[in-house]
Amino acid sequence: MTARIRPDLSAIPAYVAGRSQPDLVKLASNETTFGPLPSVVKAIAEQTELINRYPDNANTELRAAIAAYVGVTPDRVAVGCGSVALCQELVLITCDNPADEVVFAWRSFEAYPIVTRVGNATAVQVPLTADHTHDLTAMAAAITEHTKLIFVCNPNNPTGTLVGEAELTAFLDAVPEHILIVLDEAYFEYVRREDRTNGVELGRGRPNVVVLRTFSKAYGLAGLRVGYAVGEPEIITALLKVHVPFSVNRLAQAAAVASLEVESELLERTDHVVAERDRMAAALRAAGYEVSASEANFVWLPLGAASAAFGEASAAAGVLVRPYGTDGVRVTAGTAAENDLFLAFASAPETVATFLS
Ligand SMILES: *Cc1c(COP(=O)(O)O)cnc(C)c1O
């Protein structure tokens, strides 16, 4: 007889990562295509001499650096093994009953339903609007006496859409103060719209707001796993309790600190990515595709039932993209050459005839 495990786990899907295949161009995981800067590589190399020693479990230096960077005190910063770990930890600190509800848009980041169910809570998914944006009015209406946590992914992964300041502040004002609101800003550095918000600023004076950011996207450290949360000290203390000890390793901590020191160089790269994103969106629209308004480092093609077949055809043409069920396909903005390869496939007459008729 095998040991007894939680029966509900059989109904929870494992996280499916974007495909990788060495000989194909990968535009499937929203990674930065540029490699790490030399000073970051150096910081990592120095730490390799010390890997017989545990990392600093309190992440003291990194939390101080992040705090200085975003303009808060270090007791308002928690770090995690990627911000996806913090998503899970936020469920753990708010939900302790299967009836507890976690509200988020759908489609949104596919980790949300997983961490909710792993945390033994109930997911409440609120459909996006017709233009693939968070429906904050419907999300506010979905709040019940059981609601414990709300994720707002802004810009939204995988659709790229942004909710602007007026709408977002109205939502934050409408949510009762005992419910924790997570503003997941994984793509913050790619947002260019005038009415963009900064979750850290929005959170000042709103003790029920937590902001998530990550070093995986604009900072190019996806392989090292480090993200952070900014919020009230009580929330940060709770996060430290459920944190898996030492899960942010020594190399990750040093690389993140070094990245903040070359922040302006790393952020300069986002201008290139944003220009490519907009070029891709324009070319795809010209070819006849519907493309949602993206403020992130990817574009979203709502191809419906054709999504999986489009993903296969793109892979056959040498480019891995990310199909999501029967909703659409997400394509990361890579280098100009990589994007050109994808655009050549997407705008080829055969592709257009197959997928846009
Ligand atoms: C990529 C991403 C994250 C975090 O990724 P980590 O690598 O775990 O830091 C968090 N939220 C969203 C919406 C993302 O797309």
Side-chain angles (χ1 to χ4, degrees), residues 219-241:
Y219 289 85
L221 300 182
L224 280 178
R225 318 300 309 125
V226 45
Y228 60 96
V230 180
E232 277 292 292
E234 291 70 26
I235 293 165
I236 300 304
T237 304
L239 286 172
L240 294 176
K241 290 186 181 169

Side-chain angles (χ1 to χ4, degrees), residues 13-18 28-31 81-91 102-117 123-126 128 132 134 139 150-161 182-187 212-214 216-217 222 225 227 297-298 300 322 324 327 330:
Y15 183 90
V16 180
S29 294
N30 295 346
E31 296 150 335
C81 181
S83 58
V84 70
L86 290 160
C87 291
Q88 179 154 2
E89 290 164 15
L90 286 159
V91 174
V102 179
V103 175
F104 51 88
W106 200 250
R107 199 170 265 281
S108 189
F109 187 33
E110 70 272 33
Y112 301 153
I114 298 174
V115 298
T116 299
R117 291 163 76 184
V124 176
Q125 305 187 340
V126 179
L128 298 170
H132 318 286
H134 274 74
M139 286 177 73
I150 303 174
F151 284 107
V152 178
C153 186
N154 201 33
N156 189 43
N157 174 10
T159 61
T161 51
V182 181
L183 301 178
D184 186 342
E185 297 186 334
Y187 301 96
L212 291 182
R213 304 247 177 97
T214 178
S216 296
K217 308 286 160 57
R225 318 300 309 125
N297 66 342
F298 52 84
W300 173 251
R322 185 79 173 269
Y324 286 88
D327 288 346
R330 190 191 70 193

Side-chain angles (χ1 to χ4, degrees), residues 37-191:
L37 293 175
S39 64
V40 176
V41 173
K42 183 163 168 281
I44 295 167
E46 282 167 10
Q47 289 299 317
T48 60
E49 307 279 339
L50 294 166
I51 54 175
N52 53 313
R53 301 290 181 189
Y54 280 103
D56 171 16
N57 191 45
N59 292 277
T60 313
E61 195 187 349
L62 176 56
R63 286 169 70 199
I66 292 167
Y69 176 54
V70 301
V72 299
T73 48
D75 60 347
R76 293 180 172 269
V77 178
V79 298
C81 181
S83 58
V84 70
L86 290 160
C87 291
Q88 179 154 2
E89 290 164 15
L90 286 159
V91 174
L92 294 178
I93 67 165
T94 50
C95 300
D96 61 0
N97 183 318
D100 289 344
E101 293 173 353
V102 179
V103 175
F104 51 88
W106 200 250
R107 199 170 265 281
S108 189
F109 187 33
E110 70 272 33
Y112 301 153
I114 298 174
V115 298
T116 299
R117 291 163 76 184
V118 168
N120 210 6
T122 298
V124 176
Q125 305 187 340
V126 179
L128 298 170
T129 61
D131 61 358
H132 318 286
T133 307
H134 274 74
D135 188 342
L136 292 179
T137 309
M139 286 177 73
I143 292 170
T144 72
E145 59 182 303
H146 299 294
T147 306
K148 293 289 161 69
L149 183 65
I150 303 174
F151 284 107
V152 178
C153 186
N154 201 33
N156 189 43
N157 174 10
T159 61
T161 51
L162 184 83
V163 282
E165 179 164 22
E167 250 186 299
L168 188 57
T169 51
F171 177 74
L172 298 181
D173 291 341
V175 175
E177 280 169 16
H178 66 273
I179 299 172
L180 191 61
I181 307 166
V182 181
L183 301 178
D184 186 342
E185 297 186 334
Y187 301 96
F188 178 72
E189 295 83 2
Y190 302 102
V191 178

Side-chain angles (χ1 to χ4, degrees), residues 315-356:
V319 185
L320 294 171
V321 295
R322 185 79 173 269
Y324 286 88
T326 54
D327 288 346
V329 176
R330 190 191 70 193
V331 188
T332 306
T335 63
E338 290 173 331
N339 302 335
D340 281 341
L341 195 61
F342 172 73
L343 292 173
F345 155 74
S347 50
E350 317 82 82
T351 313
V352 169
T354 309
F355 294 102
L356 292 181

